[in-house]
Amino acid sequence: MRPRSGLAAGPVNVLGMPTSRTVSLVTLGCARNEVDSEELAARLESSGWTLVEDGDEAGVVVVNTCGFIDAAKKDSIDTLIAAHDSGAKVVAAGCMAERYGAELAEALPEADAVISFDDYTAIGDRLDDVLAGRRREAHVPRDRRTLLPLTPIERSSAQAHIPGHGSVDLPEGLAPASGPRVLRRRLGGGPVAPLKLASGCDRRCTFCAIPAFRGSYVSRPPAEVLEEARWLAGHDVRELVLVSENSTSYGKDLGDLRALETLLPALAAVDEISRVRVSYLQPAELRPGLIAALCSTPGVVPYFDLSFQHASGPVLRRMRRFGDRERFLELLDQIRAQVPEAGVRSNFIVGFPGETEEDLAELTEFLSAARLDAIGVFGYSDEEGTEAATLDGKLDQDEVAARLAEVSALAEELTAQRAEERIGSFVDVLIEEVSADGEAEGRAAHQAPEVDGIVTVVGGKPLVGKILRARVTGSAGVDLIAEADLENAP
């Protein structure tokens, strides 16, 4: 997980010190956090703050933290301490700040403020307080699911702030000239950007704490998503990556369980958008109509980011999840019957409480048969506040580490084999970088940003943001090497 920030250097005074109302944003964690940071950037800019790239040039550094697993929390703490060492004022925002609030503030005096999602709408004022030395009490964490009605269809009228749902409410009686106004400020460049479909989650996986601090599931209205897609297209984005905690649930709180199938062709039809990718799909909710939409909608890539987590039925039941090896393989067969070259990735947890050698064998047999393009493997560890932390059958950490090493090695071998299978095939590569000697790097339809490998393309006339057809000539791990196909350019 790498920090992300953007923008040019800000103003300095005659002594070379940054002017006071300058701020740098550092983003940790997932693409959903990236969207949230860009909402914060827009709010800060509208409040008169100057955004700068380098924390050494900022009066305040805002760290949008990740609080998902222990490694992410450690990375967040290290980043906050490093920001403090730069001499700037430091604000902890994001998931870890929301999840721990006052506890984090007490444990980390290096942070001048720890803010909640509820502070985002007044972020400019909060940073003014920090700059002036006005100390605010950090929030006491609460289960954000309690802020919204239990019934999904009633949630649209709730008042809780939901980060990344980036439109501005206009005064009553004043209609927008052309749809909702986008509340977002890009912090980085490049032809790919995440677009948030929804926030929160209604599932109750025993290992996951995310619903408690992200809240219940709330879809963004289609008109709002489309307007932001047009805005991103106007800022040189050519691929939209739809993100949420669970994209397959999109629309259930809007009264339309098939809203995503309707939205996808509309997004793909936005001028200048070359392709649309959907991430975070739940196998239990992947209905035939959505599979068909992902496989057959022009401009939508046949890419399936499926949250399997395991392949043993007994382990999945303890996780409060659906499926088993046979049903997951049947699902993959349904997808590949429509698009044989469809991209599929997934994550898995090994060493879950009660996992037996037989359960582990079920997982490895599934992986060997599934032909996945990308595999993430994590060793189980307790997360406070989760049901799994109270389960019996805990494995020794040395045993968890051994199983993690075994499955990770298998995953690396299998994904390399899957990449080799693509040698000789043709791929459409969205070019993201071009070197001085004309060698280009980008991603094919089966590769999502940052997690699924890249394609290096030789030949042709590659341009950043354009799609180049190429024939795969080699592979290195999950990465591909390809030659431009000049006769069949898309």
Side-chain angles (χ1 to χ4, degrees):
M1 169 186 321
R2 71 171 187 264
R4 296 182 293 274
S5 60
L7 310 172
V12 296
N13 62 23
V14 293
L15 298 177
M17 298 296 291
T19 56
S20 57
R21 296 184 91 236
T22 53
V23 57
S24 175
L25 281 157
V26 179
T27 305
L28 303 173
C30 64
R32 302 185 295 275
N33 256 16
E34 185 178 336
V35 177
D36 296 351
S37 285
E38 294 190 351
E39 177 198 320
L40 288 173
R43 291 184 182 278
L44 285 165
E45 196 168 60
S46 68
S47 299
W49 282 77
T50 299
L51 291 107
V52 299
E53 182 173 4
D54 193 338
D56 292 337
E57 298 166 346
V60 180
V61 175
V62 177
V63 180
N64 190 352
T65 60
C66 180
F68 181 41
I69 57 176
D70 285 344
K73 287 182 274 191
K74 182 181 183 303
D75 194 22
S76 295
I77 294 293
D78 290 345
T79 304
L80 287 162
I81 292 173
H84 169 77
D85 291 344
S86 74
K89 300 283 190 179
V90 179
V91 175
C95 291
M96 187 176 181
E98 177 64 42
R99 184 176 181 183
Y100 294 104
E103 180 183 345
L104 177 62
E106 182 177 355
L108 193 71
E110 289 87 351
D112 296 278
V114 174
I115 64 173
S116 167
F117 294 149
D118 296 324
D119 291 308
Y120 282 20
T121 56
I123 186 65
D125 293 338
R126 296 294 174 268
L127 266 57
D128 283 333
D129 289 339
V130 169
L131 209 55
R134 294 188 291 268
R135 197 84 181 181
R136 292 181 59 90
E137 291 295 322
H139 63 283
V140 175
R142 55 182 168 172
D143 188 333
R144 293 191 72 85
R145 290 171 292 192
T146 63
L147 304 180
L148 295 169
L150 185 63
T151 305
I153 202 70
E154 298 176 358
R155 292 174 189 163
S156 60
S157 60
Q159 299 301 310
H161 177 66
I162 303 171
H165 288 217
S167 66
V168 175
D169 293 330
L170 295 173
E172 186 175 354
L174 181 61
S178 57
R181 182 165 72 85
V182 173
L183 186 60
R184 186 165 177 178
R185 207 279 198 196
R186 288 204 80 190
L187 293 174
V192 183
L195 175 57
K196 188 173 280 194
L197 271 180
S199 291
C201 187
D202 288 342
R203 302 187 71 85
R204 294 297 180 264
C205 302
T206 59
F207 56 82
C208 186
I210 288 175
F213 57 84
R214 274 290 183 179
S216 299
Y217 194 87
V218 179
S219 304
R220 297 179 68 191
E224 187 177 297
V225 178
L226 276 167
E227 185 62 25
E228 189 163 320
R230 297 184 190 102
W231 183 90
L232 288 167
H235 286 76
D236 301 321
V237 171
R238 298 297 172 257
E239 177 177 323
L240 303 172
V241 182
L242 306 185
V243 299
S244 69
E245 276 75 20
N246 175 9
S247 296
T248 35
S249 279
Y250 180 73
K252 73 173 188 178
D253 52 322
L254 304 176
D256 183 2
L257 284 172
R258 292 175 174 78
L260 186 54
E261 289 96 308
T262 304
L263 180 61
L264 285 173
L267 288 169
V270 171
D271 288 344
E272 305 300 330
I273 293 300
S274 299
R275 66 190 189 192
V276 178
R277 181 183 307 276
V278 185
S279 59
Y280 305 106
L281 301 170
Q282 286 290 341
E285 300 177 33
L286 193 56
R287 51 203 174 270
L290 181 53
I291 294 175
L294 290 168
C295 288
S296 63
T297 304
V300 176
V301 294
Y303 175 80
F304 292 81
D305 175 13
L306 296 168
S307 178
F308 288 131
Q309 302 300 345
H310 211 281
S312 163
V315 172
L316 287 163
R317 299 298 90 75
R318 287 171 72 85
M319 291 179 172
R320 295 196 189 281
R321 294 184 63 82
F322 153 91
D324 54 35
R325 176 168 59 93
E326 291 80 9
R327 279 185 276 189
F328 289 164
L329 290 174
E330 288 173 4
L331 176 60
L332 293 176
D333 286 344
Q334 292 175 39
I335 293 168
R336 288 169 176 150
Q338 298 184 50
V339 181
E341 71 278 11
V344 186
R345 82 170 325 272
S346 191
N347 294 322
F348 300 87
I349 298 171
V350 298
F352 192 78
E355 182 189 65
T356 65
E357 292 286 354
E358 290 76 16
D359 295 324
L360 190 66
E362 279 287 289
L363 174 57
T364 57
E365 287 180 28
F366 169 74
L367 292 175
S368 297
R371 296 171 55 243
L372 303 178
D373 292 281
I375 300 170
V377 187
F378 300 89
Y380 173 81
S381 62
D382 286 340
E383 275 292 309
E384 63 258 54
T386 65
E387 184 180 347
T390 68
L391 294 177
D392 57 11
K394 298 284 178 61
L395 277 66
D396 181 84
Q397 283 304 301
D398 288 342
E399 177 61 23
V400 173
R403 295 185 183 192
L404 174 61
E406 175 190 346
V407 178
S408 296
L410 176 63
E412 185 175 349
E413 177 184 351
L414 292 171
T415 52
Q417 290 174 5
R418 177 64 176 141
E420 288 177 5
E421 291 177 12
R422 294 187 182 273
I423 294 175
S425 67
F426 289 88
V427 290
D428 292 332
V429 183
L430 178 67
I431 303 300
E432 297 181 19
E433 294 182 22
V434 180
S435 66
D437 61 3
E439 186 175 271
E441 284 188 357
R443 289 174 301 98
H446 69 279
Q447 296 169 317
E450 298 192 20
V451 292
D452 292 347
I454 61 169
V455 182
T456 300
V457 182
V458 179
K461 295 181 179 179
L463 296 173
V464 172
K466 298 297 183 181
I467 289 182
L468 189 65
R469 173 148 292 191
R471 184 175 67 86
V472 180
T473 58
S475 64
V478 296
D479 297 331
L480 301 179
I481 302 162
E483 293 180 353
D485 178 25
L486 302 180
E487 295 182 1
N488 299 294

